[in-house]
Amino acid sequence: DVKVTQSSRYLVKRTGEKVFLECVQDMDHENMFWYRQDPGLGLRLIYFSYDVKMKEKGDIPEGYSVSREKKERFSLILESASTNQTSMYLCASLRSGRALTDTQYFGPGTRLTVL
Amino acid sequence: KQEVTQIPAALSVPEGENLVLNCSFTDSAIYNLQWFRQDPGKGLTSLLLIQSSQREQTSGRLNASLDKSSGRSTLYIAASQPGDSATYLCAVNRDDKIIFGKGTRLHILP
């Protein structure tokens, strides 16, 4: 079974803090994704990566950055946390994305509260 | 730009009834379509994946159909149970990006 793990289930930070969210997958998947999920807005893609050291902006990258130094690990960084970044953050991985049978696997999510 | 819509946003159904959840998408050039389940406060779990060349997939009481030409998919749940209560999301896959609908929140009434 594919396992996608996230470093924290719940996190409380203060405005202006630098925040690191870590995601690790154990199936050697090429693609990894960070989403945020908010009521009424659904899942919105922040950043994704299709290879080590590669990253692509998603739909809402402002205020975020990412790091992928190793294939299995994809980190989301909030350089200076703000209250509007309070949300559920979901990480996902996908083998290649171009194969008809590829399915995306999700981590359990991190609920971040910024005070 | 691909858009995925799920209607209704919420649905309440008595236990034992069969039900259909709907998903529509604007661009038919997809690799596959996937239905996910999400329990409150949790991540997403994949239920069914339909390849672009397929018309339907079945798993237990779940049946998902795909009509690419009309940009529609349905998720049919037979003999609903209280444990089916969750949010159901559909997502379309094209290249390396997956686009999600906002989901249908399903409540099965005991």
Side-chain angles (χ1 to χ4, degrees), chain B residues 1-99:
Chain B
K1 181 185 174 185
Q2 178 73 272
E3 292 183 5
V4 180
T5 304
Q6 292 186 248
I7 295 172
L11 183 63
S12 292
V13 174
E15 180 179 2
E17 285 198 7
N18 304 324
L19 61 99
V20 174
L21 306 180
N22 297 295
C23 173
S24 61
F25 49 95
T26 53
D27 185 349
S28 62
I30 62 173
Y31 289 125
N32 59 49
L33 182 144
Q34 213 166 344
W35 282 93
F36 291 87
R37 170 186 172 134
Q38 186 178 29
D39 293 294
K42 302 284 180 65
L44 278 68
T45 301
S46 178
L47 296 173
L48 289 164
L49 181 145
I50 312 176
Q51 298 175 33
S52 60
S53 58
Q54 296 176 325
R55 299 282 293 184
E56 65 178 348
Q57 281 288 328
T58 298
S59 175
R61 295 183 293 108
L62 305 180
N63 175 277
S65 69
L66 175 63
D67 183 343
K68 266 182 46 175
S69 61
S70 66
R72 293 177 187 274
S73 175
T74 61
L75 178 67
Y76 174 84
I77 302 177
S80 58
Q81 303 171 358
D84 295 329
S85 296
T87 297
Y88 292 81
L89 296 98
C90 73
V92 296
N93 177 0
R94 175 164 182 182
D95 289 333
D96 294 319
K97 287 188 74 172
I98 296 180
I99 310 297

